[in-house]
Amino acid sequence: MATPTLDKADAAGAPEPGFADSPYITVTFRIRRFNPEVSAESVWEDFQLQIDPKERVLDALHKIKWDQDGTLTFRRSCAHGICGSDAMRINGKNRLACKTLIKDLNPAKPITVEAIKGLTVMKDLVVDMDPFFQAYRDVMPFLITKDTNEPTRERLQSAEDRERFDDTTKCILCAACTSSCPVFWNDGQYFGPAAIVNAHRFIFDSRDEAGEQRLEILNDKDGVWRCRTTFNCTDACPRGIEVTKAIQEVKRALITRRI
Amino acid sequence: MKIHKYDTVIVGAGGAGMRAAIEATKRSRTAVLTKLYPTRSHTGAAQGGMAAALANVEEDNWEWHTFDTVKGGDYLVDQDAAEILAKEAIDSVLDLEKMGLPFNRTPDGTIDQRRFGGHSRNHGEAPVRRSCYAADRTGHMILQTLYQNCVKEGVEFFNEFYVLDQLITEVDGVKHSAGVVAYELATGEIHVFQAKAVIYASGGTGKFFKVTSNAHTLTGDGQAAVYRRGLPLEDMEFFQFHPTGIWRMGILLTEGARGEGGILRNKDGERFMEKYAPVMKDLASRDVVSRSIYTEIREGRGCGPEGDHVYLDLTHLPPEQLDAKLPDITEFARTYLGIEPYTDPIPIQPTAHYAMGGIPTNVEGEVLSDNTTVVPGLYAAGEVACVSVHGANRLGTNSLLDINVFGRRAGIAAAEYSAKAGYVELPENPAEQVVNQVERLRNSTGTERVAAIRLELQECMDANVMVFRTEQTIKTAVEKIAELRERYKNVSVQDKGKRFNTDLLEAIELGNLLDLAEVMAVSALARKESRGGHYREDYPNRDDVNFMRHTMAYREVGEDGTESIRLDYKPVVQTRYQPMERKY
């Protein structure tokens, strides 16, 4: 006998907690299509499909691509919210397609999917990420120390000091925050929340010695002071990072010059 | 077509590729070609930790770690390589800390360590705390830290460049690496990269299974590129099934959950691992735990209406501990299953996780064209490679270690080679094969669809070459794969464009998966024994007399164009340890 096959659907018997029987439902996806090889204008296109509402939006996009229209184009990789490839605007909110279940979206109405805003759309849901990564690189996102003699063992850090910047280490650079920010939409020169989050991760790391330099970078006219505290970024973050709080902490450090 | 010239080209930007890039960029003009933006790589999905005998929290040493690695690999591990892995583990972890990696800390401020499957004190006496970790997102932190240091070093990336072919030129009868051919996703343009040294670090092949922890993009691209050029693949029958994937979805739930005290239970609530591994219990090696889970399921003690899974029980652990040590996996349970791990057990099943086999290399990362001959200028590291430090079954936390130790070694070795070697001449018309492949797929009017063939392949692999295998099931797989390979010749894509043609990309990836699935099944059929991750119900015992040797699979093309696989074998390097019966 071989390894048991585990994908038999709809078995009889009492459902377990969290596994109530869920018959397939019909859902309409309204996707903003754009392909400059075909047309200079974007268009909304509707796709109907049968899907289990416990599945992810990414599963739905795959079903459309694989069964209906192979030209539908989007980025994805890990499919469980770790790699940050599939940030998109779903029903008007920035989310990861692989972390958004159909059932949480009111599937009775058409579900809209479009590219994240503020970055140039290359094709369908794919945007040009280079400006986003440039802003990230500009905040010097790496540990800088001035010791002339590197310790032979690890640097010591207390659990409290480690906890101080824990929240901002969770960033997966998906751009959901930055592309949800109205300031960024209006002015692409603004560093944007993700770059500030990554600066925060080092500014508040007790091992780092370049906090002052990073603060000066963020004191720029395109730096933290552009933030209008709309909290869109915090709502958009699929990792639950308190992005606005991190930006406020950077602002406070700039005012008090104390980290 | 564009031609580029670099000293060193690295294919892939996960942990191994970026660790290599940090070294190679300091020493040579280096380009990193990567199918994904670097931070999208699947190293980021690794959770539990990185093994190193730091002895920060209890007595430990690299010799115990070496022994555990050899035993964990069911004595198919090359013991010289395992010793390097365990010895260099310590500096590897310290290097990452100095690069900025935010490890969890002990009350003294040193790097904290926790238990993990198969890691023991004094040759199996009891579990030992050897895994250095950052909550349950150690892989994420390693990937981010390495990318940060690539930014610092000014590493040159070619993002969304998909390497499709390895260029080989014979010089005085010896195969040399001449470079690679890549497809630029944004434009559809073909690029030839001439390089003195090429390092493959392009990851695993897990997407030929259906229930898998692997990303959609893990399609064995590097393995397929070199295999099609006549180079061998080693030990491809050995694939690891991680015991705790989310039921049906396959999403990984770290072994660290059991390291923190989590328990596997069957439908009667019984802690069944006590029966199978009295000492290590839930922390036995992964092959042992996965087989035990399926044994429970087959004997009718599985959970749920279909009895097709078991539970990972974390409910006895304090919520604060789950929040601090296992925040991501508890969130996965909430997001994808609607289950609260504080109060409810999590339904799990084994999930296809890791390829122990791959491109054969020596301990410097140099690729071999047979049992001993090095291909000058060609290197591999990480999951794409087979050193072999994992043998027949990899220990948890040894893969994050592998990418750092052997990524670093390959980066240094390749850059040192390219500093002294000259360029090898490119073959005539170097992009020809890739141009033909791309144009054939783009212009095909065939009726077969990529998604249909891929799904049939995945279902066939899950049913026939997963945790339990027999002559019959493997033969079924071999026949099915042959049929799918025939049908693949008639596959077409709907997207005929040049710009971000992911339809075409998926078609190419499927071709790689089919080739590698065939190598796996054919290698598994010939190995008439059970060892580590390869379990044959018709040959349930390990057979050291006939099979304590590595499989080497070669693609052969006959004069009439027919393809076949030739199997050869390579001896295992044994230094300190004689094979013993494996008990946990």
Side-chain angles (χ1 to χ4, degrees):
Chain A
M1 183 181 146
T3 306
T5 306
L6 296 171
D7 55 356
K8 288 169 280 174
D10 300 327
E16 292 177 273
F19 283 88
D21 283 341
S22 55
Y24 278 38
I25 58 168
T26 303
V27 183
T28 301
F29 275 82
R30 184 161 293 166
I31 302 173
R32 192 183 191 116
R33 304 294 305 271
F34 173 67
N35 183 358
E37 284 184 305
V38 175
S39 163
E41 302 294 318
S42 64
V43 293
W44 290 98
E45 187 172 0
D46 282 5
F47 297 91
Q48 269 202 350
L49 65 155
Q50 301 282 313
I51 195 161
D52 181 334
K54 289 202 303 289
E55 290 191 75
R56 300 160 271 199
V57 169
L58 180 63
D59 297 315
L61 295 176
H62 273 144
K63 278 180 205 281
I64 295 167
K65 183 177 182 65
W66 294 342
D67 302 338
Q68 300 187 32
D69 184 350
T71 69
L72 180 66
T73 302
F74 50 90
R75 292 191 177 106
R76 88 289 186 254
S77 188
C78 80
H80 65 285
I82 293 299
C83 77
S85 298
D86 62 347
M88 47 190 81
R89 210 167 148 81
I90 300 168
N91 280 353
K93 282 192 166 168
N94 279 5
R95 303 160 180 271
L96 297 182
C98 63
K99 256 189 124 171
T100 308
L101 304 193
I102 309 281
K103 70 180 173 62
D104 298 328
L105 288 170
N106 184 16
K109 286 190 179 166
I111 293 169
T112 62
V113 181
E114 58 194 306
I116 48 177
K117 288 174 73 174
L119 294 161
T120 307
V121 180
M122 309 298 283
K123 184 178 174 185
D124 292 346
L125 307 173
V126 173
V127 299
D128 178 10
M129 293 293 287
D130 284 351
F132 174 81
F133 279 102
Q134 185 56 51
Y136 167 79
R137 286 193 292 269
D138 285 345
V139 302
M140 304 192 299
F142 38 82
L143 190 76
I144 298 173
T145 57
K146 297 185 176 133
D147 18 272
T148 40
N149 293 321
E150 268 212 336
T152 50
R153 293 288 296 193
E154 68 264 48
R155 292 189 180 80
L156 299 182
Q157 182 169 51
S158 71
E160 294 71 39
D161 284 345
R162 166 66 181 78
E163 183 61 24
R164 179 69 188 86
F165 63 102
D166 186 64
D167 201 34
T168 45
T169 65
K170 295 189 291 195
C171 176
I172 56 175
L173 298 167
C174 67
C177 59
T178 294
S179 64
S180 74
C181 173
V183 179
F184 182 77
W185 295 340
N186 290 326
D187 179 2
Q189 295 301 306
Y190 172 44
F191 279 96
I196 302 171
V197 159
N198 280 281
H200 178 284
R201 178 252 172 273
F202 288 101
I203 290 168
F204 293 95
D205 185 336
S206 60
R207 299 170 297 173
D208 187 79
E209 295 175 89
E212 284 296 326
Q213 260 174 286
R214 289 195 185 83
L215 285 173
E216 255 341 289
I217 292 169
L218 294 174
N219 202 18
D220 184 86
K221 67 177 168 53
D222 294 317
V224 285
W225 305 113
R226 303 290 303 276
C227 168
R228 290 286 170 270
T229 330
T230 55
F231 285 91
N232 282 19
C233 50
T234 302
D235 292 341
C237 179
R239 302 286 287 149
I241 300 170
E242 293 184 271
V243 182
T244 312
K245 183 178 166 202
I247 297 174
Q248 292 303 103
E249 286 177 352
V250 172
K251 286 180 183 172
R252 199 174 312 126
L254 265 169
I255 292 166
T256 62
R257 288 288 163 176
R258 206 180 310 144
I259 294 165
Chain B
M1 189 186 81
K2 274 190 191 153
I3 296 191
H4 309 254
K5 227 171 163 177
Y6 283 86
D7 293 333
T8 308
V9 160
I10 298 172
V11 182
M18 291 204 284
R19 190 67 190 80
I22 289 167
E23 301 301 332
T25 297
K26 289 176 187 166
R27 297 170 171 85
S28 64
R29 188 159 171 267
T30 300
V32 181
L33 314 187
T34 169
K35 180 161 85 163
L36 304 167
Y37 274 85
T39 57
R40 312 304 182 214
S41 305
H42 212 51
T43 295
Q47 297 166 355
M50 172 168 167
L54 298 184
N56 277 1
V57 289
E58 61 182 313
E59 187 187 358
D60 198 5
N61 64 62
W62 62 259
E63 192 274 318
W64 293 354
H65 185 184
T66 308
F67 171 80
D68 289 337
T69 300
V70 170
K71 177 184 172 189
D74 221 349
Y75 297 90
L76 195 68
V77 170
D78 287 325
Q79 297 181 9
D80 55 339
E83 188 166 317
I84 288 170
L85 182 82
K87 276 184 182 162
E88 295 187 6
I90 295 160
D91 277 341
S92 264
V93 166
L94 298 178
D95 284 348
L96 285 170
E97 195 284 327
K98 287 168 193 168
M99 287 186 207
L101 198 138
F103 284 107
N104 276 44
R105 300 287 172 157
T106 65
D108 299 334
T110 58
I111 294 168
D112 198 11
Q113 300 188 269
R114 66 177 165 205
R115 292 173 177 174
F116 234 81
H119 291 281
S120 72
R121 57 168 283 114
N122 196 17
H123 313 98
E125 254 176 36
V128 74
R129 292 172 65 182
R130 185 178 291 149
S131 165
C132 310
Y133 67 100
D136 55 354
R137 50 180 83 109
T138 315
H140 164 77
M141 298 299 192
I142 288 177
L143 191 70
Q144 295 291 326
T145 300
L146 291 176
Y147 183 59
Q148 290 155 5
N149 282 271
C150 284
V151 170
K152 185 179 178 182
E153 298 294 337
V155 172
E156 190 175 351
F157 289 102
F158 288 79
N159 295 322
E160 297 182 323
F161 273 57
Y162 185 28
V163 170
L164 295 184
D165 196 14
Q166 165 64 38
L167 298 174
I168 302 261
T169 302
E170 282 203 14
V171 181
D172 302 330
V174 178
K175 287 177 173 177
H176 284 61
S177 170
V180 297
V181 185
Y183 174 90
E184 183 181 5
L185 189 59
T187 61
E189 191 165 5
I190 310 281
H191 297 257
V192 172
F193 285 81
Q194 188 175 14
K196 296 175 189 172
V198 171
I199 306 173
Y200 279 91
S202 48
T205 63
K207 218 48 199 176
F208 53 38
F209 288 99
K210 185 163 178 235
V211 175
T212 175
S213 65
N214 280 204
H216 286 284
T217 42
L218 284 170
T219 50
D221 310 325
Q223 295 89 325
V226 302
Y227 172 67
R228 289 199 192 115
R229 289 295 181 183
L231 299 178
L233 295 176
E234 180 175 350
D235 288 342
M236 291 293 282
E237 64 271 40
F238 293 101
F239 206 92
Q240 177 164 87
F241 303 95
H242 191 290
T244 55
I246 289 182
W247 179 43
R248 290 184 175 168
M249 301 183 81
I251 295 172
L252 180 68
L253 300 178
T254 176
E255 194 166 292
R258 284 170 282 139
E260 293 290 340
I263 291 169
L264 295 171
R265 297 190 189 281
N266 62 21
K267 72 170 183 184
D268 304 319
E270 181 194 4
R271 182 181 194 178
F272 58 83
M273 279 312 300
E274 286 177 335
K275 294 184 294 197
Y276 302 98
V279 176
M280 298 293 280
K281 299 189 178 83
D282 299 272
L283 288 175
S285 65
R286 289 175 177 175
D287 57 328
V288 171
V289 179
S290 285
R291 274 196 295 280
S292 305
I293 291 171
Y294 271 131
T295 303
E296 291 295 301
I297 289 172
R298 293 165 114 193
E299 291 177 359
R301 292 186 296 277
C303 306
E306 291 174 65
D308 60 358
H309 57 274
V310 298
Y311 285 130
L312 172 63
D313 183 5
L314 307 175
T315 58
H316 54 291
L317 302 177
E320 313 82 67
Q321 186 184 351
L322 297 183
D323 292 350
K325 303 291 182 68
L326 303 167
D328 280 4
I329 63 140
T330 45
E331 194 198 314
F332 295 155
R334 292 180 193 115
T335 303
Y336 296 112
L337 296 169
I339 277 183
E340 177 45 68
Y342 295 161
T343 52
D344 291 309
I346 307 168
I348 59 98
Q349 73 178 87
T351 182
H353 187 55
Y354 186 87
M356 268 75 73
I359 302 170
T361 73
N362 61 23
V363 295
E364 306 306 331
E366 295 172 302
V367 170
L368 304 176
S369 62
D370 56 30
N371 287 2
T372 50
T373 311
V374 164
V375 182
L378 194 58
Y379 299 79
E383 192 174 346
V384 73
C386 182
V387 183
S388 156
V389 287
H390 307 307
N393 171 66
R394 174 174 69 73
L395 288 190
T397 68
N398 268 356
S399 62
L400 289 179
L401 178 56
D402 176 10
I403 59 178
N404 279 287
V405 167
F406 289 100
R408 177 178 168 276
R409 290 176 82 93
I412 294 171
E416 287 180 348
Y417 175 82
S418 56
K420 64 180 201 303
Y423 284 98
V424 174
E425 213 174 306
L426 288 171
E428 208 176 316
N429 204 353
E432 185 181 19
Q433 182 171 306
V434 169
V435 170
N436 290 344
Q437 182 186 13
V438 167
E439 288 313 310
R440 187 181 61 75
L441 281 167
R442 215 199 299 270
N443 299 325
S444 167
T445 53
T447 51
E448 292 286 353
R449 298 284 292 142
V450 168
I453 295 177
R454 185 175 48 213
L455 182 61
E456 284 185 48
L457 172 68
Q458 291 169 337
E459 288 181 340
C460 162
M461 297 293 279
D462 277 17
N464 295 301
V465 288
M466 221 175 174
V467 173
F468 291 111
R469 302 168 174 177
T470 69
E471 174 116 0
Q472 189 51 50
T473 66
I474 301 170
K475 279 186 170 160
T476 303
V478 171
E479 284 164 23
K480 181 71 183 176
I481 295 163
E483 175 212 314
L484 295 173
R485 279 165 56 88
E486 270 309 299
R487 285 169 53 192
Y488 178 73
K489 293 176 181 162
N490 200 23
V491 85
S492 65
V493 296
Q494 291 177 325
D495 194 337
K496 309 291 186 191
K498 296 236 169 197
R499 194 178 176 86
F500 284 97
N501 191 338
T502 53
D503 202 21
L504 177 72
L505 193 75
E506 286 191 36
I508 294 169
E509 290 172 333
L510 175 61
N512 295 342
L513 289 177
L514 285 166
D515 282 3
L516 298 172
E518 185 180 43
V519 175
M520 177 203 242
V522 167
S523 302
L525 190 60
R527 185 172 285 275
K528 297 182 170 164
E529 66 154 354
S530 290
R531 184 186 295 271
H534 171 74
Y535 189 83
R536 290 278 303 252
E537 290 185 89
D538 42 355
Y539 299 94
N541 298 315
R542 198 174 75 200
D543 177 358
D544 289 334
V545 175
N546 293 303
F547 286 106
M548 205 174 109
R549 52 188 191 168
H550 300 290
T551 307
M552 301 285 275
Y554 297 80
R555 176 175 179 264
E556 306 251 294
V557 183
E559 283 176 9
D560 58 348
T562 51
E563 292 174 38
S564 59
I565 296 170
R566 175 173 64 86
L567 296 183
D568 195 3
Y569 292 91
K570 183 173 90 168
V572 171
V573 179
Q574 250 183 289
T575 54
R576 296 165 186 265
Y577 308 107
Q578 287 300 314
M580 292 188 300
E581 195 193 346
R582 195 153 152 267
K583 286 181 179 164
Y584 280 102

